[in-house]
Amino acid sequence: MKESDRSSFGSKFGVIVAMVGSAVGLGNIWRFPYLVGENGGAAFILVYLLFSVLISLPVFCAEFVIGRRGRASAVGAFRNLAPGTKWYLSGFTSILAVFLILSFYSVVGGWSIKYMVDSIQMKFSAAAAGTDFGASFSGFSTGIWEPLIYMFIFIIINAGVVIMGVEKGIERFSKWMMPVLFVLILVLVARSAFLPGAGVGYEYLFKPDFSKITTQTLMAALGQSFFSMSLGMGAIIIYGSYVKKSDNIASHSVITVGLDTLFALLAACAIMPAVFSFGVEPGQGPGLVFVTLPYIFSNMPLGSLVAFLFFLSLLLAAISSAISLVEVMASFLIEEMHCSRRLAVFISILSQVVFGTLCSLSLRPGSPLTIGGMSIFDLFDKISSDYVLTIGALLIVLFVGWKMKKADYMDEMTSGGTIHLPKWIAETIYWLLKVVAPLAILTILIFS
Ligand code: PHE
């Protein structure tokens, strides 16, 4: 396909907004803090940072290169770049990943809507300061209908956006809401810092205890890094396919990975001091953020207003991420199965409703929806990042490092020699993705 045949982002800024929009979402605000709590704090964060620079950044560039050079979504891009080979099959891991992720993502997206509604009802105002927010979260999330209804609302909003093709509108929206989310997190970080006993939280965040690192921790950190940066499942391949040849892949990748990491770290700095100050159990899993935030809101001036703005901007961040997930599934169905756009989105809604419902109901105490003692929610959450995204990312770096010609990689990174990218940067990223990333990913996969 010629450049002019495929629509492109209007500006560099638009590309960055879309990529950051995909990357920053529930992964940063909801998933990262709860994994930090489950995996012992500072040591996990250090490993996460190391993996993000040495592994995820090169994977990001690799997906970008495949997308822009292949000019199609995952399966098609592999087919265009390696015609007549079986490489296109690796695109199918992305469909599995989308399907698993969208199921629990919709449930948590629904939780954010519920908390937004609660904040309108002043449930996090100073008057609510004595409430047991842990009990109210588990009462809500283990219920039957309420979480399902909110999940459904999330799915419909998301599908509406994709069907009407108003992603552009969402981009315009996220352009404003992302900075709002950012500022609000800073406000929460500041409020948390002055809570009594906040020091214990900082110690937890910044004083690593390396005895806490197990192969399971390494796997969780790697999987989370891919999840948070939307890697290993073709989202960046698709976005990359819309990017103009003159755009600088390395700098877009560094900006997106950097901002994503910043959001995650700040979220942890907002949550953890409060966790220790209010005596919340750090290792309680997916509920952590929803239990902890209300304590902060109800202990600050204008708490209800801050809470409302926070959950609204979190919702928008979640939608701009979910759009990219639906887009991966939709473009696969459209390009490979020749479905219409409407049918493709309908199929995605159907799968979200059915499997999202199973995820949500699996959280009920004594629910039979468990496999090997794990709820389907936890199972989908863990398997998707730890295995499916990780294997997807491995195939992506192997493709760019070993199947593609190095000259083609260089050509993409330097936009055909039109932009000046210092040679050592392009080389370093190349060796990271050719040797370091595959070896590290393989080692972690084998030993866990
Ligand atoms: N990165 C998104 C988040 O942090 C989730 C996501 C994963 C989106 C994979 C697209 C692909 O919430």
Side-chain angles (χ1 to χ4, degrees), residues 22-28 101 105 227-231 233 235 260 321 324-325:
S22 168
V24 175
L26 297 171
N28 309 63
I101 295 175
Y105 211 83
F227 180 85
S228 190
M229 290 157 199
S230 307
L231 295 172
M233 44 88 66
D260 187 78
S321 301
S324 64
L325 285 157

Side-chain angles (χ1 to χ4, degrees), residues 154-192:
F154 181 82
I155 295 174
I156 293 301
I157 300 180
N158 189 21
V161 170
V162 179
I163 288 188
M164 296 190 300
V166 290
E167 286 101 326
K168 287 262 147 52
I170 284 293
E171 260 156 49
R172 212 168 297 146
F173 228 24
S174 359
K175 207 154 58 188
W176 296 105
M177 285 320 272
M178 286 288 176
V180 171
L181 183 62
F182 187 75
V183 171
L184 289 172
I185 296 178
L186 286 182
V187 169
L188 295 184
V189 171
R191 177 63 194 105
S192 265

Side-chain angles (χ1 to χ4, degrees), residues 22-50:
S22 168
V24 175
L26 297 171
N28 309 63
I29 316 290
W30 157 72
R31 203 168 187 273
F32 183 70
Y34 105 65
L35 285 180
V36 169
E38 255 181 6
N39 291 287
F44 175 84
I45 298 183
L46 277 182
V47 175
Y48 177 86
L49 290 177
L50 195 73

